[in-house]
Amino acid sequence: METSRVAPGVRTHEKLDLALIFLGPPGAGKGTQAKEVARLYGVPHLSTGDMLREHVAQGTSLGQRAQPIMARGELVPDSLVLKMIAERIERPDCAGGFVFDGFPRTVAQAQYLGVMLRQHGYRPPVVIHFVIDPQLLLRRITGRRMCKQCGRIYNIFECPTKLEGRCDLDGGELEQRPDDREEIVGPRLQAYERQTAPLVAYYRRLGRLHDVDASKSVEEVKLQILNVIREAR
Ligand code: ADP
Ligand code: AMP
């Protein structure tokens, strides 16, 4: 089977021209892979979690509404998230495709996204489903640290930095997301099971779902995803 023709760190000349959706529970590795795939194809990485955290940091009215909900590990209402996404995919940098990470998270969000994509002339999305043993998630979530400056994702157990607490790329300070504390992990996983997991059946029925084994190494998961993209294009 062909794997990747893309050397590490090099951008591919292939065009994406697709709406990609990375679907899976918190901690499955969506953000890690979405950043890399978006970089390889030169398209935007649209993480609704990152966008909401930015609103919280800037103290916007959306941020003020979202903050207590996110702190409890619950989902922000569909109407707020959909407005944010509708504005974002209108921007010119989205014309060549994009990678959604953490969106959609409810069937209502998926249905509305389908309408938005049709309106913008996109084909139905390609959905990458991160399949993972739930027992791996706690370690991945509680060990996650992010660089305050560049947002690069590390894990104190799985992929630590060379110098403790400092980003390998820019020396930025690492931080832990407040919702990555162990007591918030349970509610987040419950929200996933109740509200987001039904999307697996939803997209499978539409013939858009592609499973990848997300318990493998970062590099192996990336190769599975690149193969799915090549076959789907
Ligand atoms: P998600 O966006 O799905 O919540 P992340 O991409 O932020 O997940 O990854 C969660 C944690 O697991 C991070 O600390 C990351 O460094 C680590 N991680 C991601 N992919 C892998 C992998 N394939 N193997 C081991 N650790 C991983
Ligand atoms: P994430 O960074 O994807 O783990 O998301 C962090 C938090 O942001 C979630 O626990 C939710 O509170 C909120 N959030 C992110 N994306 C969405 C979404 N598509 N719908 C509703 N809430 C979201």
Side-chain angles (χ1 to χ4, degrees):
M1 184 170 70
E2 186 197 13
T3 53
S4 176
R5 291 187 299 264
V6 183
V10 177
R11 236 189 89 171
T12 172
H13 295 295
E14 295 167 20
K15 281 204 157 69
L16 186 63
D17 280 337
L18 267 182
L20 277 181
I21 293 174
F22 284 9
L23 174 66
K30 304 180 299 296
T32 302
Q33 299 295 338
K35 280 179 200 288
E36 176 63 2
V37 170
R39 189 196 64 74
L40 277 172
Y41 283 95
V43 297
H45 162 215
L46 305 183
S47 155
T48 41
D50 285 351
M51 291 159 82
L52 289 166
R53 277 186 288 278
E54 189 62 35
H55 277 278
V56 171
Q58 291 184 358
T60 66
S61 62
L62 168 57
Q64 287 174 24
R65 289 184 67 181
Q67 189 274 334
I69 303 171
M70 294 169 75
R72 291 196 299 271
E74 296 166 10
L75 293 191
V76 173
D78 289 340
S79 56
L80 301 181
V81 174
L82 288 168
K83 185 164 179 286
M84 192 174 73
I85 282 294
E87 286 167 5
R88 182 65 186 88
I89 66 171
E90 297 270 318
R91 293 202 212 148
D93 65 336
C94 284
F98 36 83
V99 185
F100 280 128
D101 157 17
F103 175 85
R105 254 179 156 104
T106 62
V107 172
Q109 290 180 15
Q111 288 168 336
Y112 188 79
L113 174 66
V115 175
M116 280 195 285
L117 293 177
R118 272 197 297 283
Q119 281 172 351
H120 288 82
Y122 281 98
R123 287 180 284 155
V126 169
V127 183
I128 310 280
H129 175 214
F130 286 62
V131 179
I132 186 160
D133 180 345
Q135 296 206 330
L136 287 176
L137 294 176
L138 186 64
R139 185 179 165 87
R140 286 202 184 177
I141 294 173
T142 56
R144 172 163 49 195
R145 300 290 185 274
M146 289 164 93
C147 172
K148 277 184 177 178
Q149 287 189 124
C150 69
R152 191 180 165 96
I153 306 167
Y154 295 93
N155 190 292
I156 54 171
F157 309 120
E158 307 282 347
C159 30
T161 48
K162 295 192 185 92
L163 191 66
E164 198 184 320
R166 293 281 163 190
C167 178
D168 290 346
L169 297 182
D170 57 20
E173 200 185 326
L174 299 193
E175 62 181 351
Q176 183 178 33
R177 280 169 43 176
D179 59 346
D180 276 350
R181 280 172 299 123
E182 196 164 342
E183 59 271 31
I184 315 296
V185 173
R188 288 171 68 198
L189 294 177
Q190 280 161 21
Y192 177 80
E193 283 308 322
R194 237 191 348 257
Q195 291 167 278
T196 309
L199 290 181
V200 173
Y202 175 87
Y203 282 121
R204 207 183 290 284
R205 251 195 325 271
L206 294 175
R208 307 310 301 165
L209 198 82
H210 303 266
D211 290 338
V212 299
D213 180 355
S215 62
K216 297 276 196 272
S217 70
V218 170
E219 193 55 29
E220 283 172 280
V221 178
K222 172 175 145 184
L223 294 181
Q224 295 177 62
I225 294 171
L226 293 180
N227 279 333
V228 170
I229 295 172
R230 295 221 173 88
E231 279 164 24
R233 277 165 63 244

